[in-house]
């Protein structure tokens, strides 16, 4: 699930007291280049926020309305997810999927 943050939900890093005094993470060139590639593949100059909606909030509102009307809500069992052992390999596979759809 992807999250879309609006400007009123984002605070500048220097306003977060818990982050003051922390050391910057060491990132090797491989990780940095993969991160840049990921951002480039998922970026667009023609971003239209109207294409996106908060599906989670809409579904939650439906559940709340049903519960308020006395309906019994039964959760669906979650699908088992594969454990990712190699994050870099998983990101590369995801990028290849994104490129093939374009």
């Amino acid at each position: 699930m992807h999250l879309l943050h609006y400007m009123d939900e984002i605070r500048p890093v220097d306003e977060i007291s818990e982050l003051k005094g922390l050391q910057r993470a060491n990132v090797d060139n491989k990780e940095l280049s993969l991160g840049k590639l990921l951002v480039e593949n998922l970026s667009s100059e023609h971003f239209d926020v109207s294409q996106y909606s908060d599906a989670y909030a809409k579904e939650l509102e439906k559940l709340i309305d049903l519960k308020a009307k006395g309906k019994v809500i039964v959760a669906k069992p979650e699908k088992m997810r594969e454990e990712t052992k190699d994050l870099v390999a998983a990101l590369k596979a995801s990028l290849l999927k994104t490129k093939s759809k374009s």
Side-chain angles (χ1 to χ4, degrees):
M1 176 161 88
H2 300 285
L3 296 176
L4 179 63
H5 293 281
Y6 297 96
M7 289 307 295
D8 63 336
E9 298 174 319
I10 300 172
R11 293 187 299 166
V13 174
D14 59 345
E15 289 183 10
I16 303 172
S17 61
E18 293 84 4
L19 297 179
K20 291 183 180 169
L22 293 179
Q23 290 182 338
R24 293 182 64 104
N26 292 329
V27 179
D28 65 28
N29 288 337
K30 184 178 174 183
E31 292 171 328
L32 186 59
S33 64
L34 183 60
K36 287 179 180 179
L37 182 61
L38 181 64
V39 169
E40 287 171 7
N41 282 334
L42 298 176
S43 296
S44 172
E45 291 180 20
H46 308 290
F47 178 74
D48 182 8
V49 75
S50 67
Q51 293 178 6
Y52 303 93
S53 64
D54 191 350
Y56 175 81
K58 287 180 184 178
E59 290 300 316
L60 183 60
E61 285 178 24
K62 286 180 189 177
L63 290 174
I64 292 169
D65 288 341
L66 289 172
K67 186 74 174 173
K69 292 176 183 175
K71 302 285 183 184
V72 176
I73 299 170
V74 179
K76 296 178 185 176
E78 288 190 30
K79 294 180 183 177
M80 294 297 292
R81 295 182 185 177
E82 287 184 39
E83 186 176 322
T84 303
K85 295 182 181 181
D86 185 355
L87 182 58
V88 173
L91 284 171
K92 284 182 180 178
S94 175
L95 287 172
L96 290 174
K97 280 185 188 178
T98 303
K99 281 186 177 182
S100 66
K101 289 182 182 179
S102 300

